[in-house]
Amino acid sequence: MSLQAPSKLLELAGQSLLRDEAMAIPALGELPTELFPPLFMEAFTKRRSKTLTAMVQAWPFPCLPLGFLMLTPDRKTLRAVLEGLDVLLAQKVRPSGCKLQVLDLRKDEIFRSMWSGAPVRSPQAMSQRQTGDDCPGTQRQWPLKVVIDFLSTCDSKQEKKFLKYVFEWAQQREDLVHLCCKQVMILGLQTPSVKKFLDMVELKCVQKLYLDMVELECDQDVKMCNFSEVYELGRFVPYLAQMKSLQKLHISYTFEDNYTWIEKPEPEKVGQVVARVASTFLKLDKLQELSLFSVCFLQDHLDQLVRCLKTPLETFQMTECRFSESEMKHLFLCPSMHQLKELNLSGIILSDVNLEPFQTLLENAAATLQVLILKDCCITDAQLSVILPALSSCHQLITLNLRGNRISKAVLENLLRHTVSGLRLVGYPVPEEC
């Protein structure tokens, strides 16, 4: 028979309070601060609506990180929290013990540490997030900030209703509530609900943007590639231009090999779209990470886009695309690539490309480059020998992936001799002899 560890006195006191809501609510004013998080979680799990409403009004911390408790969104418990916030917003003077400034609805593992008391990797960043000081979107002071991620990819109808409910609640109180969205993930740009959301939030707050333009499907057997999504990207540019705090931009175009063209792109129109996106990049002076996945419409326009990167990037990812040698040269020699920490060119065919410009890129980024992924690039022995001296000078490099390239055993051994010292994670191809 196993013995269970005895419950802490505070936990027992909290459980006792929740057995009788009529007794618990008046006692909140005398409740020790450390008892609020476990008691709140208990009340939330057991759906004690009246206790939740009262606890929000007496919350003794700057932030209420509700997101990870909403893994299975329940409107009744959410409504109880929002009703407590309504009471606070209606008061000119808040109760002395209440310090609530931010309702954080992101499903973020970091905030588990606030509830559990576990150590945090960056206490300063944690403090900023709790008080809302990490929000660069607006200088206006709001009584309450509601932080949320928008994921149009969520499959759960319950979760979509939850998002809609929060948006409508915040919109009805727009003079009192700042709806702050840090991360936006959009699957398909033409959905009316996406545009409605983008018109509702303060786009200056967005720091991460994921755009996935998907193929059309008429039935299960026929895949059709429609470039109307590319033109729709042009209509998205006014929204992108407002995201002045954007740090990470991921653009992908998802389609399968067995597709049928139903609309071929007109080069002039595609060029116009890329030009509008590129001109917007001039306004994104906080952009640190740019990822382009299977964006076939960028062919012949890559250099046009890269030239407009205003600040040095920390991460650049471009996979499964085909570009000319001239375009790749412009990319490798672009000043915005000189301080990279991570470079991923997986699936970019480099076998017919002069890699001397790439060698120059490695030399320029030698002091900062930590991750280099050249998987399935068809790099040859001769090309690897060209870049090896520059590669060996990248002393910060900790991850190198060369899998899927046609490299001989002798060149691999030479590579090992020059690069293995500081590497922690390495992916080498199987030598051609094997």
Side-chain angles (χ1 to χ4, degrees), residues 222-287:
V222 180
K223 303 285 185 181
M224 300 189 298
C225 185
N226 187 337
F227 267 80
S228 63
E229 283 84 2
V230 177
Y231 306 144
E232 187 68 14
L233 178 63
R235 300 189 187 103
F236 185 80
V237 167
Y239 296 110
L240 181 63
Q242 297 179 56
M243 298 180 182
K244 300 186 183 299
S245 300
L246 195 66
Q247 298 174 8
K248 298 183 179 181
L249 174 60
H250 294 229
I251 302 177
S252 61
Y253 187 75
T254 305
F255 62 92
E256 296 184 6
D257 292 336
N258 58 332
Y259 61 82
T260 301
W261 295 103
I262 61 174
E263 179 188 351
K264 291 187 177 181
E266 298 179 29
E268 291 184 0
K269 288 187 177 181
V270 175
Q272 292 171 4
V273 171
V274 175
R276 294 183 65 190
V277 175
S279 63
T280 303
F281 273 27
L282 291 170
K283 304 174 183 178
L284 304 180
D285 56 5
K286 292 182 173 62
L287 192 65

Side-chain angles (χ1 to χ4, degrees), residues 125-138:
M126 184 70 167
S127 176
Q128 288 181 337
R129 293 183 63 173
Q130 290 179 16
T131 59
D133 293 340
D134 67 328
C135 178
T138 178

Side-chain angles (χ1 to χ4, degrees), residues 37-175:
L39 183 61
F40 187 92
M41 286 192 287
E42 189 79 9
F44 195 93
T45 303
K46 294 185 177 180
R47 300 184 180 182
R48 301 296 174 85
S49 299
K50 293 181 180 178
T51 302
L52 288 174
T53 300
M55 289 195 74
V56 170
Q57 298 171 53
W59 194 248
F61 306 103
C63 178
L64 176 56
L66 194 60
F68 83 89
L69 290 177
M70 300 295 297
L71 294 178
T72 53
D74 178 76
R75 189 179 299 189
K76 183 179 178 181
T77 50
L78 177 62
R79 185 184 295 117
V81 172
L82 297 182
E83 286 175 356
L85 293 174
D86 280 332
V87 174
L88 285 178
L89 293 173
Q91 296 173 343
K92 292 184 178 180
V93 180
R94 289 192 178 187
S96 58
C98 181
K99 300 179 181 179
L100 186 58
Q101 302 173 29
V102 180
L103 174 66
D104 199 307
L105 297 175
R106 291 173 291 181
K107 297 172 182 177
D108 195 332
E109 290 294 324
I110 294 177
F111 273 87
R112 287 184 181 270
S113 55
M114 179 180 173
W115 295 99
S116 64
V120 189
R121 290 184 179 179
S122 176
Q124 182 179 2
M126 184 70 167
S127 176
Q128 288 181 337
R129 293 183 63 173
Q130 290 179 16
T131 59
D133 293 340
D134 67 328
C135 178
T138 178
Q139 301 300 321
R140 178 179 171 181
Q141 296 296 319
W142 305 79
L144 180 71
K145 181 180 298 182
V146 177
V147 187
I148 195 166
D149 288 337
F150 177 73
L151 310 177
S152 71
T153 56
C154 60
D155 297 324
S156 168
K157 291 183 178 180
Q158 189 178 17
E159 190 169 357
K160 289 181 179 178
K161 290 181 179 178
F162 160 74
L163 288 172
K164 182 180 179 182
Y165 184 65
V166 173
F167 294 155
E168 290 177 349
W169 178 86
Q171 191 175 34
Q172 292 167 6
R173 296 154 182 81
E174 59 183 355
D175 292 333

